[in-house]
Amino acid sequence: MLARDSILISLSPTSLRVAMTAGGDVTRVERIVTDSVSWDEAWQQGLRPYDEMLRAAIRTLNVRPGAHGQVVYHSPRMMSEVFVAPTTGAPALQAARLHLAQSLSDAGNGWATTIVPLQQVAESGNLKRQVLLLTADTQQNQNTLAQWLTRCSVKPTTVASAKGVLLENAIRQDVPPERPAVRIHLDEHAMTLCGWVEGRLIFARCADVGYGIVVDALRRAARLESGELPPREYASRLLFNHGIPHRGQIMDAARNLSADTVLPLVQPALQRCIIEVRQTLRFGLSEADVRSAAIELAGPGAAIS
């Protein structure tokens, strides 16, 4: 009997990626930009606007029907957060469940939740706290995702929250204990922020902003000159090729697009990201720790100059 093909599927508000895997390694990737589809409307329509996109990617990769798929996805109501329980073991899990019940509207009625213990943090007096990753999405969204995969002949083996994956990867980083450390991972649609003092995790959160809001602002700014909204890929190339706009800079001579034109729209987007970082550091670390912290910017957004 032939083994089934294995693929990875990533669904975000702006793209669909399908990758073939062999022996745990990615061998081929097909990416489809989905900015012509309204994200919220696509979910309201059961993800049907993405049916042909997924089937086309599968055909391009020569994937056989019934492939096993690992899925990482965003959704309009998904939440992921880190919860630190003041105890460990079963009581920590119970505390996490109580926190979810208090945090989610109609908790226990229409929500699918996941609790993953990550690490224990030592305290004075031989006490320990448990760090847990909490993720939740509506049962309706999870059913919609499963039906979409079934229509496209994909058998899901694992389904994971994109924000949860980002948070878990960030928390599992090894951090030297010599000085406070802050790691900011800037993705297209989310930003994780984690802080450590003396090697102990102090805070970890996933903000609902990424460099994608700057890309959106660049698209709108380009439309002011041409009268037409350019493709998202065009604005993304502008951002990564030219960096954050500065006064007097020519972004695209062919379109007569200057930084002076785009800055009024780009600056509010940048400010959103800056506020998220400042507020997280303000409430997460002491002023002394912030001043001495080693701050690292990682992820795709780190390539933006």
Side-chain angles (χ1 to χ4, degrees):
M1 186 177 186
L2 291 175
R4 295 183 185 273
D5 291 332
S6 295
I7 58 176
L8 301 174
I9 298 173
S10 171
L11 179 64
S12 81
T14 54
S15 70
L16 168 66
R17 291 180 175 89
V18 181
M20 284 199 71
T21 62
D25 296 325
V26 174
T27 56
R28 292 179 63 194
V29 179
E30 182 70 12
R31 177 173 178 266
I32 298 175
V33 177
T34 62
D35 58 0
S36 61
V37 177
S38 166
W39 180 241
D40 289 336
E41 289 180 7
W43 280 92
Q44 292 168 8
Q45 296 170 23
L47 294 179
R48 291 186 182 278
Y50 298 133
D51 284 10
E52 188 50 39
M53 295 180 186
L54 179 53
R55 292 179 184 131
I58 288 172
R59 287 195 301 269
T60 300
L61 295 173
N62 294 319
V63 175
R64 291 169 292 184
H68 286 159
Q70 300 178 58
V71 183
V72 178
Y73 78 106
H74 291 263
S75 83
R77 298 192 66 188
M78 176 186 294
M79 66 81 71
S80 292
E81 67 173 88
V82 170
F83 176 74
V84 181
T87 183
T88 61
L93 292 174
Q94 183 58 36
R97 294 189 190 99
L98 179 61
H99 174 76
L100 282 171
Q102 295 172 340
S103 302
L104 300 174
S105 59
D106 299 324
N109 180 25
W111 286 91
T113 61
T114 304
I115 301 174
V116 180
L118 294 179
Q119 58 185 250
Q120 294 183 357
V121 179
E123 299 289 338
S124 59
N126 294 323
L127 298 177
K128 290 184 178 180
R129 296 183 298 162
Q130 179 72 58
V131 179
L132 305 103
L133 175 64
L134 314 182
T135 60
D137 199 2
T138 64
Q139 191 63 58
Q140 179 179 354
N141 281 350
Q142 293 217 331
N143 291 341
T144 294
L145 188 73
Q147 292 163 7
W148 174 57
L149 296 170
T150 298
R151 289 196 304 271
C152 298
S153 301
V154 175
K155 298 183 180 297
T157 55
T158 59
V159 176
S161 152
K163 294 177 184 177
V165 170
L166 288 171
L167 265 177
E168 184 171 357
N169 288 341
I171 292 170
R172 293 191 185 280
Q173 299 294 317
D174 292 325
V175 177
E178 289 78 18
R179 59 186 293 198
V182 175
R183 192 170 193 269
I184 303 168
H185 185 285
L186 186 59
D187 205 64
E188 185 174 6
H189 302 289
M191 175 171 57
T192 58
L193 305 102
C194 299
W196 295 262
V197 174
E198 297 179 350
R200 294 187 304 126
L201 182 69
I202 302 300
F203 67 81
R205 63 182 295 259
C206 185
D208 289 326
V209 297
Y211 69 81
I213 64 172
V214 181
V215 173
D216 292 336
L218 282 170
R219 290 184 75 197
R220 295 194 300 272
R223 181 172 56 184
L224 294 177
E225 292 295 332
S226 66
E228 296 181 359
L229 188 68
R232 186 179 182 82
E233 292 293 274
Y234 166 80
S236 184
R237 285 195 300 271
L238 277 185
L239 180 60
F240 280 88
N241 290 342
H242 296 278
I244 301 300
H246 55 83
R247 294 290 181 188
Q249 181 185 21
I250 300 300
M251 304 291 291
D252 186 345
R255 287 177 176 257
N256 194 31
L257 184 65
S258 69
D260 294 345
T261 300
V262 305
L263 276 172
L265 290 176
V266 168
Q267 283 175 334
L270 293 174
Q271 194 66 21
R272 277 192 65 192
C273 297
I274 292 170
I275 288 173
E276 288 287 352
V277 174
R278 284 180 175 171
Q279 292 291 85
T280 300
L281 295 182
R282 176 186 175 189
F283 294 105
L285 296 177
S286 68
E287 290 186 14
D289 286 335
V290 171
R291 286 195 297 269
S292 62
I295 299 179
E296 176 191 2
L297 180 62
I304 302 170
S305 60

